[in-house]
Amino acid sequence: MDASQTTAYQSSETPRDIIETLDAALSCSREAIELTVTTLCAGGNLLLEDVPGVGKTTLARALGRCVDGDVRRIQFTPDMMPSDLTGVSIFDQRTQRFEFHSGPLFANIIIADEINRANPRTQSAMLEAMAEHQVSVDGVTHALPEPYLVLATQNPIELEGTYPLPEAQLDRFMACTSLGYPSREAERSMLLADHAGDPLSDIRPVCSPRDVSAMRERARGVYAGDDVADYIVAIVRATRGHERIRFGASPRAGLNLLAMARARALIRRRDYVTPDDVKSLVAPVLAHRLVMKSSFGAGTSVASTAARETLDAIVDRIPAPRADHA
C-alpha cells in the first residue's frame, strides 16, 4: 500500500475511530458524539449549549486528546479583552522592533468555555478567528494553524453576566447541540467509576492534525447530486418568510448543511449523500440560526424548542428526493 492509499484509508476510518474512542470513555449520548465528530470532519465549529455539569467541557477535552494537535482551553469572562485571545505586539529593546506574541487562539482545537460571557469586543475577535481562521493585531494579519476547530460551550440558564451571541457569530457555528442528561445506566457507571485520577487519562490520540486535514479533504469530495442540492435549497428557503420565523437561515446555512451531510456520508463509508443525511442534520445545523418571533416561542436557548419544532414541520412538508444509487 503506497502513501496515497494509506492516507485515503486513514481519512476514511479516522472519524469512526474517534467516535468509538469517545463513546467508550464518555457518558454522553452517542448521537452527540457523532455530531461532534461530523462537525470536525466537515471543517466547522460547534456550539454546545446545555445546563451546567452535563459534560460539555469534558467532551471538548476528550476530542482534543483524540486529535494529537495543539489544544487550548479558554475560560471566557466579562472583563476579557481581544488581546487576551489574539496576542500582543511587544517592543523588543534589543532588536528595536515589535515582536508578536501569539495568544491562546493559536492552536488546532480551541475549547471556548462559556463563550457568551465575553463582551462584544472580545466576541468580535472570536468571529474573525472562526470565520477567516486568522486574527488581526495592530493592522497585521496572522494566520491560525490548520486544521482549526472552535468547540464552544454556553449555559442558557445563566443569564447574569452574559452577553448574547450576535446572529453573525451564531451563523459561524456549523452546528449546535445539547448533550442532555446521561442515561440511568451511564450515570450509575459514572458514580461507580474510579475518579482517583483524570477521567480522560485512558484516552490516547487516534489521529494527527494531518489526518484530520486528509479526512476533511475526503469529505469535500463526497458526491452530492442535483436532487440533494435542490432539497437543501427548498428547506433553507422555507425558513424565510415563515409565519413563525423573523429571520430565516442564510445561504451559508445551506453550504454548512451540505458540508455536514457529506461528512455524515463519509463516516458511514459512503461516497455519496442521501436525503436521510440531510434530514438528520437539519435541526443541528439550522435551529440556532433562526430568530423566532416572540409570539411563537422565542426562548433563551439559541436553538429553542420552537425553532426545532418548526424545522421538523418544514421537513415533513417538503418531499425528499428518491435515493437511488444502486
Side-chain angles (χ1 to χ4, degrees):
M1 183 181 294
D2 61 28
S4 62
Q5 290 175 320
T6 300
T7 300
Y9 172 77
Q10 288 175 337
S11 61
S12 177
E13 296 301 317
T14 296
R16 297 190 68 87
D17 292 340
I18 297 175
I19 289 171
E20 295 303 329
T21 299
L22 295 178
D23 192 35
L26 303 177
S27 60
C28 58
S29 70
R30 187 179 178 93
E31 181 181 5
I33 291 172
E34 288 191 1
L35 183 68
T36 302
V37 178
T38 301
T39 308
L40 172 70
C41 186
N45 305 300
L46 178 65
L47 178 62
L48 297 173
E49 185 185 44
D50 219 319
V51 296
V54 295
K56 300 185 299 295
T57 304
T58 302
L59 172 59
R61 289 176 55 215
L63 180 65
R65 283 181 179 265
C66 286
V67 178
D68 193 19
D70 193 7
V71 181
R72 302 282 180 88
R73 177 185 176 274
I74 306 171
Q75 178 63 55
F76 283 80
T77 58
D79 61 348
M80 182 174 284
M81 300 300 292
S83 58
D84 295 328
L85 300 178
T86 61
V88 295
S89 294
I90 300 176
F91 187 73
D92 189 327
Q93 293 284 357
R94 183 176 57 83
T95 63
Q96 294 294 297
R97 294 189 307 174
F98 281 95
E99 298 289 340
F100 177 66
H101 294 256
S102 61
L105 286 182
F106 285 78
N108 296 116
I109 296 180
I110 304 299
I111 303 172
D113 255 343
E114 296 185 301
I115 191 173
N116 57 327
R117 288 194 178 277
N119 59 63
R121 287 186 61 192
T122 304
Q123 288 182 8
S124 68
M126 279 298 301
L127 178 58
E128 182 184 13
M130 292 167 59
E132 310 297 336
H133 292 189
Q134 66 181 33
V135 296
S136 299
V137 179
D138 297 330
V140 179
T141 298
H142 303 272
L144 295 170
E146 293 292 346
Y148 195 73
L149 167 71
V150 173
L151 209 165
T153 72
Q154 72 169 8
N155 301 326
I157 65 172
E158 292 187 358
L159 301 180
E160 184 177 352
T162 63
Y163 299 84
L165 296 180
E167 286 76 12
Q169 189 165 358
L170 286 174
D171 200 35
R172 297 296 180 174
F173 284 103
M174 188 171 281
C176 174
T177 191
S178 298
L179 299 186
Y181 293 108
S183 67
R184 181 185 180 89
E185 284 304 314
E187 194 163 11
R188 180 177 182 275
S189 298
M190 180 176 61
L191 291 174
L192 296 176
D194 179 12
H195 292 291
D198 184 351
L200 303 181
S201 59
D202 292 335
I203 295 182
R204 296 291 179 263
V206 173
C207 63
S208 68
R210 184 176 179 180
D211 294 327
V212 174
S213 295
M215 174 179 71
R216 290 179 170 182
E217 184 64 28
R218 187 174 175 85
R220 284 191 288 269
V222 172
Y223 173 75
D226 292 346
D227 55 345
V228 169
D230 290 339
Y231 186 46
I232 291 175
V233 169
I235 293 172
V236 171
R237 291 183 66 85
T239 66
R240 304 166 192 165
H242 192 282
E243 63 176 3
R244 295 189 172 194
I245 302 172
R246 177 171 286 111
F247 299 112
S250 68
R252 183 184 293 112
L255 293 172
N256 287 176
L257 183 53
L258 178 57
M260 289 285 284
R262 282 177 162 146
R264 185 179 188 271
L266 177 68
I267 291 173
R268 282 157 177 72
R269 299 190 179 97
R270 281 188 276 105
D271 59 1
Y272 59 89
V273 176
T274 68
D276 283 342
D277 292 325
V278 175
K279 290 172 67 175
S280 66
L281 292 164
V282 168
V285 176
L286 301 187
H288 65 288
R289 305 170 193 264
L290 304 183
V291 179
M292 305 299 293
K293 294 180 180 178
S294 57
S295 56
F296 288 101
T300 58
S301 169
V302 296
S304 66
T305 301
R308 292 178 178 271
E309 290 176 348
T310 302
L311 286 170
D312 288 343
I314 288 174
V315 171
D316 288 342
R317 189 174 69 245
I318 297 174
R322 184 173 64 90
D324 185 8
H325 295 275

